[in-house]
Structures are given as C-alpha cells and as structure tokens.
Amino acid sequence: MLKYQTILFDLDGTLTEPKEGILNSIEYALHKFDIKVEARADLTAFIGPPLQESFQKYFGFDPEQAWQAIQYYREYFAEQGLFENKVYPGIRELLEKLQTEHVLLAIATSKPTVYTERILEHFQLKKFFHIVIGSNLDGTRVKKGDVIRAVLERISTINTNSIVMVGDREHDIIGAKDNLIDSIGVTYGYGSEAELRAAGAQYIVHSVAQLEKMLL
C-alpha cells in the first residue's frame, strides 16, 4: 500500500508553469495604475501567494488599491492569461499512475476555484481530481491553510497520516502544518529549497521524476 492515499496538489508552479499568463496579467493591472515594471522577472514573486498580499507587499498598495488591482488583473487573466500556461513534463503521466493506484487526488490552490477549473479542463487534467478547491472571487478563503481545511472537510474518512500536500511555495508547507498533514516541497516551481526547508517541509524533491518516485 502506498504511504499516501490522499494527495493534495497546488496548481501554479506544481502542476503547471503559469509564468507568462500571470506576469502578463500583473503588468496589465499595474499599467492601469501607470506603473511600469523595469524588471519583469521580479514579478515571479507573485506566483503562488495570494494576489492581495503580493500587491501590498511589492508595490505598497493599501488594501483597497490591492483589491482594485486584482479586478484589473482578472480582466486580462480571465480572457487570456489563464491559457498562457503549460503542464510540466511528466505531470500527466504521474497523475495517470496515481489514478491507477486509486489514490484520492485533490487540488488545493489560492487561485480562484472558477479559474482553476477552467485551467484543468483546458489542459484535460480535471478528470484526475476528485476535489478541486481554490479561493473565492470575493477575496475569501485565500490562505492556503483555509483552502486545505476546505479540502479535508470534503473527505469522509480522514487519517491525517495518509494525506500529503504537494506544493512549491512556503504557503503550501505552512498550510499543511496548520492542518497537521505532511508536505512535499518541489523546487522545480517558484520556491527555493531554502524557503521550503525553512517552512518545515517533510520532504523536498527537485523534479517531477523524484516526486513520482516518492509518491509511488
């Protein structure tokens, strides 16, 4: 029997490479505030954490400005940005193997559920997941701990020792700890090994191949 019978996956930076769509959406939003980004690469810090948090942290927006920036972000993202994305090599095959092993698979992401479902459908990944939980468009349930809790509430029998969260940022690891489940940090996304280790990840892998070996 596999150690983990229930696996929660983050989306951005874990299953898919979303960089182009997210950065384009951020630039679109910032343009509305007459802010020009000199180093586009700096915006990669936005991938993973809640947008409200990132607009305030990196551009000094107050909560109201950050919320308005999110609305601008969504103008671009909902129409174009969510499809400027690609599935990491090996992920589809991993999900197929886990499905064959009858593992319960779930998505736990800070991205709004409505966008998450569209992305999964577009890339033909939704069929693998029993549960898909993200944030709400009204700005609630954005913290990863709350998202993970919502997933666990959908599972009828919970043996926390058989559940793991897989993600690429500290938010995934901290959210797992808050819910007393194990975590696997992946460094092929947007969090460094140092970030994941400092957050307390039980395991750290550097490729999809290593992740597959650990889960199977």
Side-chain angles (χ1 to χ4, degrees):
M1 179 179 290
L2 303 182
K3 178 176 181 180
Y4 297 113
Q5 295 299 308
T6 300
I7 302 172
L8 283 58
F9 284 97
D10 175 45
L11 181 63
D12 294 341
T14 301
L15 298 181
T16 67
E17 163 56 277
K19 184 176 180 178
E20 181 182 0
I22 290 179
L23 268 56
N24 287 344
S25 301
I26 295 166
E27 286 189 317
Y28 176 90
L30 293 173
H31 178 74
K32 297 286 189 177
F33 289 89
D34 294 320
I35 296 174
K36 181 173 176 56
V37 178
E38 298 299 331
R40 179 178 162 93
D42 291 344
L43 298 180
T44 57
F46 274 73
I47 302 175
L51 288 172
Q52 180 86 18
E53 173 186 315
S54 294
F55 277 118
Q56 291 181 238
K57 179 178 180 180
Y58 297 112
F59 289 94
F61 287 4
D62 62 33
E64 184 177 341
Q65 290 173 317
W67 181 246
Q68 183 59 61
I70 290 172
Q71 307 319 303
Y72 291 141
Y73 174 99
R74 289 173 178 170
E75 286 179 8
Y76 182 94
F77 189 81
E79 297 299 322
Q80 188 170 340
L82 59 83
F83 301 124
E84 296 171 335
N85 199 343
K86 57 187 176 183
V87 181
Y88 283 118
I91 284 295
R92 193 180 307 277
E93 293 78 8
L94 170 59
L95 295 176
E96 288 172 348
K97 291 175 183 177
L98 291 171
Q99 187 179 58
T100 300
E101 295 290 339
H102 305 292
V103 175
L104 191 152
L105 301 177
I107 293 287
T109 175
S110 294
K111 185 182 295 298
T113 305
V114 62
Y115 298 149
T116 300
E117 290 181 336
R118 288 179 63 191
I119 291 167
L120 293 174
E121 288 171 355
H122 179 77
F123 291 104
Q124 300 181 329
L125 296 179
K126 192 172 182 183
K127 62 185 178 181
F128 297 113
F129 295 97
H130 300 77
I131 302 168
V132 177
I133 299 288
S135 61
N136 298 316
L137 287 173
D138 64 2
T140 58
R141 201 173 64 200
V142 295
K143 291 192 175 184
K144 189 52 69 79
D146 294 338
V147 174
I148 292 173
R149 192 168 301 110
V151 172
L152 298 181
E153 288 171 354
R154 296 274 299 276
I155 301 171
S156 56
T157 303
I158 297 180
N159 172 10
T160 55
N161 291 327
S162 69
I163 304 174
V164 67
M165 175 74 208
V166 181
D168 69 312
R169 298 301 306 272
E170 63 180 355
H171 305 75
D172 301 303
I173 309 307
I174 294 168
K177 287 174 66 177
D178 288 345
N179 286 278
L180 306 177
I181 63 173
D182 284 356
S183 59
I184 300 173
V186 301
T187 63
Y188 59 78
Y190 288 89
S192 66
E193 180 173 355
E195 174 185 324
L196 296 167
R197 198 171 295 285
Q202 269 82 18
Y203 308 100
I204 295 177
V205 298
H206 306 290
S207 67
V208 175
Q210 285 187 349
L211 177 62
E212 178 177 318
K213 185 176 181 180
M214 175 163 289
L215 294 176
L216 291 168

